[in-house]
């Protein structure tokens, strides 16, 4: 026994720390695990009565960038003073980070704990042993850095030749010559091609996802368990569609190093997080035309541009794609003064009103708006230019649309047929397995028979689905080609048809128009539109703006209003009514009680006499108080004719007879209003006074 291990150490417990850096080492390097677990027997042979094995950190790196609950548990046990010795196979098992290593050595020196490895026992309280432990920790940290540097250099060198193997996305596999090739499984390859074809047709990743879900087409997904990769079929997910559209490998390019790792400080310790996307200029390797792809590199670039336009929250000054709505030029209008993209604002007063508005530098308070223009005239003017530009190609567009609809139906049937072919193969395989089993071995035969039945049910389900799709396609009316050609010649009628949705019009405009620069000509009161067509040509269109001040002043004159209202209300109420109707005095001032009395006496109009009034009349506000409802509800009853009330002039007070409040019709109307109130109506009546701090 080593003389450094004293009875005091043996009276305490021993801790065996077991760790391996990666999960592949945990599953593959079993001899290293066995050697570390054997240290528990060595501790018992020395004389430690209690031995604790800590293996919580299997598969965790000791570089200090990953949280290690096992190491934290070890430190806590050492601090308690109940540990006599820490057993490890080498210093790198405890820590490959100098901070963690020296921190553990300091705690062991304070608690009188030994560090034991196959080379011997070390007491951190002794200068020579502490120096030797420090050298071992430093060498372990340097060894880790050196191995990482060599590994990264070798990996990057191999990746620059396009030979470094990594997990490929669905639709690709590695050949024997370390080359990327298309998966020979036609079911997988045709499904990937279908995703790209539908994206070119629909122009939106979300629309592709919704189409796949509606068609009930499953997508291939690669599942990885340590070193084993398995292809499984799952219902389509949005992130799966986005991963396929963003991956440059489908464009025939070998790309490596597209993501990065970031280190952040969490509770005083470094923590590494991975999966952050880098820009294309920062990729480690990009080898174009490295292998056969599902699309060309040019198509991949166009797809990335379209995906960026679909992301409306990124790059506010870039062109945006159409997202539906009533505005035809969404994402195309650019301000001619500041260069920013103009936003669309929909009015609430009118259902068909919208406006293109440039907010300017709205990030800074007080910067103000830039320019704005109503959208109805702008859309109409641009639509005329679009119809004039595409009228010569209307026939070809109509034919292509009919062929595209038929191709979409065939894509669904073809995808289901490929799935049926794979299901039939699985059923035949399950049948052969059942025939090869010994019938006397019933516990195996029953399971294989159940699997065979499930495979046959899957085949029957897919066959029924193909039959339903064929029947549905047969029920659809055939496209009359002659009628379609005749209709295509009148493209304006098709454009303005109620069945043509706005999204279709927006997609057509985005195909033909690159952007539209808008400016205002104050001299002629016109909006100047500069249309940049996709082919490189430019067209200037001028649209007249709405002239302001066209509506005459509908307010009555003060004399006319006073002659009609006098006698029904006191002078104070008359002054309020005249001001509400925007009537002015002769010198442009507002009305007061004194001015109303002077004008009434000048015109010879008698004052208000309650005794001469035709019955007792009250205002709408007082009537609402007596009925227990709000003024708006009382006005609604008056407009519906339920509550007898009259208004002599627009803007003047309502006159409500008192005896009408007790009528049966009014009582029923009030009950209907009360019945529509929330269940806990009192909680909505907030009448408390908010007190400010310090007052």
């Amino acid at each position: 026994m080593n003389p450094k291990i004293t009875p005091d150490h043996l009276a305490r417990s021993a801790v065996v720390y077991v760790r391996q850096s990666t999960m592949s080492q945990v599953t593959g390097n079993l001899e290293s695990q066995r050697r570390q677990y054997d240290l528990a027997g060595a501790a018992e042979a020395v004389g430690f009565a209690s031995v604790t094995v800590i293996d919580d950190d299997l598969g965790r790196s000791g570089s200090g960038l990953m949280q290690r609950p096992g190491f934290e548990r070890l430190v806590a046990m050492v601090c308690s003073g109940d540990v006599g010795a820490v057993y490890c196979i080498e210093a790198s098992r405890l820590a490959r980070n100098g901070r963690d290593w020296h921190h553990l050595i300091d705690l062991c020196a304070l608690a009188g704990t030994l560090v034991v490895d196959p080379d011997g026992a070390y007491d951190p309280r002794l200068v020579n042993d502490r120096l030797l432990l420090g050298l071992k920790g430093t060498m372990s940290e340097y060894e880790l850095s050196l191995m990482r540097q060599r590994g990264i250099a070798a990996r990057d060198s191999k990746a620059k030749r396009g030979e470094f193997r990594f997990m490929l996305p669905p639709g690709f596999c590695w050949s024997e010559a370390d080359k990327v090739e298309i998966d020979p499984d036609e079911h997988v390859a045709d499904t990937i091609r279908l995703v790209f074809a539908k994206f070119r047709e629909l122009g939106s990743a979300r629309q592709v996802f919704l189409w796949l879900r509606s068609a009930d087409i499953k997508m291939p997904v690669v599942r990885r368990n340590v070193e084993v990769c398995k292809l499984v079929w799952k219902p389509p997910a949005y992130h799966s569609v986005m991963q396929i559209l963003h991956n440059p490998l489908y464009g025939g390019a070998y790309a490596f190093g597209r993501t990065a790792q970031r280190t952040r400080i969490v509770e005083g310790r470094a923590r590494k997080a991975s999966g952050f996307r880098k820009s294309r200029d920062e990729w480690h390797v990009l080898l174009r035309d490295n292998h056969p792809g599902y699309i060309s590199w040019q198509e991949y670039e166009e797809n990335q541009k379209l995906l960026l336009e679909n992301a409306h929250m990124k790059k506010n000054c870039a062109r945006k794609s159409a997202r539906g709505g009533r505005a035809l030029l969404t994402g195309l209008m650019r301000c001619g003064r500041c260069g920013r993209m103009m936003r669309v604002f929909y009015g609430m007063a009118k259902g068909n009103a919208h406006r293109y508005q440039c907010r300017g530098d709205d990030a800074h308070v007080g910067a103000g708006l830039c320019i704005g223009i109503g959208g109805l005239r702008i859309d109409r003017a641009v639509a005329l230019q679009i119809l004039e530009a595409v009228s010569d190609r209307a026939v070809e567009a109509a034919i292509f649309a009919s062929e595209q609809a038929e191709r979409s139906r065939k894509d669904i049937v073809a995808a289901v047929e490929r799935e049926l072919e794979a299901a039939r193969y699985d059923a035949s395989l399950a049948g052969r397995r059942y025939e090869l089993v010994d019938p006397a071995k019933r516990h195996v035969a029953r399971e294989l028979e159940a699997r065979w039945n499930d495979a046959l049910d899957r085949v029957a389900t897919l066959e029924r689905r193909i039959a339903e799709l064929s029947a549905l396609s047969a029920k659809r009316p055939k496209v009359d080609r002659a009628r379609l050609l005749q209709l295509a010649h009148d493209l304006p009628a098709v454009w303005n048809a109620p069945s043509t949705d706005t999204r279709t019009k927006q997609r057509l405009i985005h195909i033909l128009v690159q952007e539209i620069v808008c400016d205002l000509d104050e001299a002629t009161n016109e909006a100047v539109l500069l249309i940049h067509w996709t082919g490189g040509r430019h067209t200037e269109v001028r649209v007249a703006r709405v002239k302001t001040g066209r509506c005459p002043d509908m307010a009555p004159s003060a004399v006319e209003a006073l002659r009609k209202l006098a006698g029904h209300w006191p002078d104070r109420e008359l002054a309020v009514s005249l001001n509400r109707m925007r009537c002015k005095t002769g010198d442009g001032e507002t009305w007061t009680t004194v001015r109303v009395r002077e004008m009434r006496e000048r015109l010879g109009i008698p004052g208000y006499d309650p005794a001469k009034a035709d019955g007792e009349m009250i205002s709408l506000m007082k009537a609402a108080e007596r009925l227990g409802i709000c003024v708006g509800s009382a006005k609604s009853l008056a407009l519906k004719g339920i509550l007898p009330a009259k208004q002599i002039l627009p803007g003047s007070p309502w006159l409500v007879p008192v005896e009408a409040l007790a009528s049966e019709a009014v009582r029923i109307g009030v009950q209907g209003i009360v019945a529509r109130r929330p269940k806990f109506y009192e909680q909505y009546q907030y009448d408390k006074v908010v007190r400010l701090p310090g007052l």
Side-chain angles (χ1 to χ4, degrees):
M1 185 177 67
N2 196 305
K4 294 182 181 179
I5 303 178
T6 64
D8 177 62
H9 296 127
L10 296 176
R12 293 180 281 176
S13 63
V15 177
V16 178
Y17 182 74
V18 181
R19 185 185 67 81
Q20 288 180 289
S21 300
T22 61
M23 292 303 299
S24 60
Q25 294 179 3
V26 175
T27 57
N29 299 349
L30 301 180
E31 189 63 31
S32 176
Q33 284 188 40
R34 188 176 295 110
R35 290 183 60 197
Q36 295 184 60
Y37 281 113
D38 290 343
L39 294 176
E44 292 177 355
V46 171
F48 285 97
S50 174
V51 179
T52 303
V53 178
I54 298 179
D55 55 358
D56 302 341
D57 294 342
L58 284 174
R60 297 177 181 268
S61 173
S63 60
L65 299 178
M66 183 180 294
Q67 188 173 4
R68 291 191 293 161
F71 184 78
E72 295 176 358
R73 179 183 169 194
L74 172 63
V75 171
M77 293 180 66
V78 171
C79 292
S80 65
D82 298 332
V83 178
V86 176
Y87 277 77
C88 62
I89 195 171
E90 58 185 23
S92 61
R93 295 301 94 193
L94 289 175
R96 284 183 177 269
N97 175 264
R99 177 182 181 274
D100 294 343
W101 172 256
H102 290 287
H103 180 58
L104 178 62
I105 297 303
D106 290 339
L107 294 177
C108 289
L110 293 175
T113 304
L114 301 180
V115 178
V116 184
D117 63 7
D119 295 333
Y122 306 93
D123 189 351
R125 293 174 295 182
L126 302 178
V127 178
N128 292 334
D129 289 359
R130 187 181 183 88
L131 175 61
L132 187 56
L133 289 174
L135 290 175
K136 283 193 172 186
T138 303
M139 293 174 62
S140 175
E141 185 177 11
Y142 174 74
E143 179 190 13
L144 176 64
S145 303
L146 185 61
M147 289 191 301
R148 181 185 291 111
Q149 181 179 354
R150 290 175 179 174
I152 292 176
R155 181 202 65 184
D156 292 345
S157 177
K158 196 172 184 179
K160 290 180 180 178
R161 301 192 304 269
E163 299 177 358
F164 179 72
R165 289 198 174 198
F166 51 85
M167 188 179 68
L168 295 175
F172 289 106
C173 61
W174 289 101
S175 65
E176 293 78 3
D178 290 338
K179 296 294 183 181
V180 181
E181 62 180 16
I182 295 179
D183 197 324
D185 191 341
E186 293 182 358
H187 188 192
V188 177
D190 291 344
T191 304
I192 299 298
R193 292 190 180 97
L194 179 61
V195 172
F196 285 104
K198 298 306 296 183
F199 181 73
R200 297 292 295 180
E201 175 186 343
L202 302 176
S204 169
R206 177 169 175 79
Q207 295 301 320
V208 173
F209 161 69
L210 295 177
W211 184 86
L212 292 172
R213 290 294 295 266
S214 62
D216 195 17
I217 297 177
K218 293 186 177 181
M219 294 184 60
V221 178
V222 177
R223 286 290 184 86
R224 180 175 181 178
N225 185 7
V226 190
E227 296 295 335
V228 180
C229 298
K230 182 180 179 181
L231 188 70
V232 297
W233 291 88
K234 298 184 64 177
Y238 179 71
H239 64 86
S240 300
V241 177
M242 292 296 292
Q243 288 173 357
I244 292 176
L245 296 176
H246 279 294
N247 201 323
L249 269 73
Y250 293 102
Y254 179 93
F256 180 74
R258 297 186 294 124
T259 59
Q261 294 181 339
R262 295 180 183 177
T263 304
R264 53 195 180 95
I265 306 300
V266 178
E267 297 179 356
R269 301 186 64 88
R271 292 289 179 261
K272 184 180 294 185
S274 59
F276 296 94
R277 292 184 178 181
K278 298 189 295 186
S279 61
R280 187 180 301 178
D281 299 337
E282 299 177 352
W283 291 358
H284 292 172
V285 180
L286 179 60
L287 304 177
R288 300 179 183 176
D289 301 327
N290 178 75
H291 56 270
Y294 288 87
I295 56 176
S296 64
W297 183 256
Q298 182 180 359
E299 292 176 340
Y300 172 78
E301 295 279 5
E302 294 175 356
N303 291 347
Q304 300 309 302
K305 181 180 179 181
L306 183 56
L307 288 172
L308 183 61
E309 293 178 359
N310 291 343
H312 279 243
M313 299 304 294
K314 297 180 180 180
K315 294 188 177 181
N316 295 331
C317 292
R319 189 181 99 143
K320 302 301 178 184
S321 61
R323 302 181 67 180
R326 297 186 299 271
L328 293 179
L329 308 180
T330 303
L332 292 178
M333 293 285 288
R334 184 181 297 277
C335 178
R337 299 185 180 181
C338 67
R340 294 179 174 86
M341 298 303 296
M342 302 181 71
R343 305 181 186 179
V344 182
F345 292 86
Y346 293 96
M348 300 300 295
K350 298 181 180 179
N352 59 348
H354 61 275
R355 182 177 180 84
Y356 298 105
Q357 183 73 51
C358 177
R359 302 294 298 271
D361 191 9
D362 55 359
H364 295 82
V365 179
L369 304 179
C370 198
I371 60 174
I373 184 68
L376 296 179
R377 295 190 177 188
I378 300 297
D379 291 351
R380 191 179 299 113
V382 175
L384 292 176
Q385 296 293 326
I386 295 293
L387 296 176
E388 183 179 350
V390 302
S391 59
D392 297 337
R393 299 291 181 181
V395 177
E396 291 81 356
I399 296 176
F400 178 76
S402 62
E403 294 176 351
Q404 193 176 46
E406 184 64 25
R407 194 183 309 115
S408 177
R409 291 193 293 267
K410 292 181 179 179
D411 288 340
I412 298 177
V413 176
V416 179
E417 288 178 349
R418 291 191 296 269
E419 192 172 353
L420 175 61
E421 184 178 355
R424 285 174 176 172
Y425 170 76
D426 294 338
S428 63
L429 181 61
R432 291 195 300 271
R433 289 176 177 174
Y434 175 74
E435 293 173 355
L436 293 176
V437 72
D438 187 0
K441 207 170 187 179
R442 294 305 303 165
H443 62 282
V444 178
R446 283 194 300 269
E447 178 63 24
L448 294 179
E449 184 180 5
R451 294 181 182 180
W452 190 12
N453 292 332
D454 293 340
L456 292 176
D457 292 341
R458 174 66 177 167
V459 172
T461 302
L462 292 176
E463 289 177 347
R464 287 195 301 269
R465 185 182 174 193
I466 291 178
E468 293 174 357
L469 291 175
S470 301
L472 183 62
S473 179
K475 291 181 180 179
R476 291 179 178 176
K478 301 296 181 181
V479 178
D480 190 348
R481 196 177 186 87
R483 185 177 180 183
L484 186 61
L485 293 174
Q486 180 181 1
L487 183 62
H489 283 289
D490 191 10
L491 190 57
V494 180
W495 179 276
N496 298 317
S499 58
T500 306
D501 59 345
T502 309
R503 182 180 288 273
T504 304
K505 299 178 183 179
Q506 291 174 345
R507 291 195 61 193
L508 178 61
I509 293 177
H510 275 71
I511 293 174
L512 300 176
V513 178
Q514 185 65 29
E515 67 176 9
I516 301 175
V517 181
C518 177
D519 200 358
L520 302 180
D521 190 350
E522 304 294 346
T524 59
N525 197 28
E526 292 177 333
V528 182
L529 305 178
L530 184 59
I531 304 176
H532 295 274
W533 301 94
T534 303
R537 302 178 66 89
H538 311 282
T539 303
E540 181 178 307
V541 180
R542 288 182 170 266
V543 182
R545 300 175 62 191
V546 178
K547 296 181 179 180
T548 59
R550 296 176 301 164
C551 299
D553 191 4
M554 303 302 295
S557 62
V559 176
E560 178 185 0
L562 195 59
R563 290 185 181 276
K564 293 182 178 181
L565 297 178
H568 297 281
W569 302 99
D571 293 344
R572 182 179 180 277
E573 300 294 338
L574 292 177
V576 174
S577 300
L578 292 175
N579 291 327
R580 186 183 296 116
M581 291 185 291
R582 298 182 180 179
C583 298
K584 298 292 184 180
T585 62
D587 52 357
E589 298 294 336
T590 57
W591 289 96
T592 62
T593 304
V594 176
R595 290 170 180 167
V596 169
R597 186 179 67 252
E598 292 177 352
M599 174 64 74
R600 181 174 51 78
E601 293 175 352
R602 192 180 307 118
L603 296 176
I605 301 175
Y608 173 72
D609 188 1
K612 297 182 180 180
D614 187 11
E616 186 180 357
M617 308 292 287
I618 59 175
S619 65
L620 193 64
M621 181 178 296
K622 292 184 178 180
E625 292 178 359
R626 295 190 181 186
L627 295 175
I629 58 178
C630 64
V631 179
S633 299
K635 184 177 180 181
S636 177
L637 294 178
L639 294 177
K640 293 178 182 179
I642 300 176
L643 178 64
K646 64 178 181 179
Q647 191 179 29
I648 300 175
L649 289 175
S652 63
W654 290 80
L655 295 172
V656 181
V658 176
E659 62 271 9
L661 301 180
S663 64
E664 184 68 17
V666 174
R667 187 181 62 82
I668 295 175
V670 172
Q671 289 180 354
I673 293 175
V674 174
R676 293 194 299 267
R677 289 177 177 175
K679 184 178 180 180
F680 303 100
Y681 177 71
E682 292 77 8
Q683 297 181 4
Y684 291 84
Q685 310 304 312
Y686 186 81
D687 55 354
K688 297 181 180 179
V689 177
V690 179
R691 296 187 179 276
L692 298 178
L695 298 181

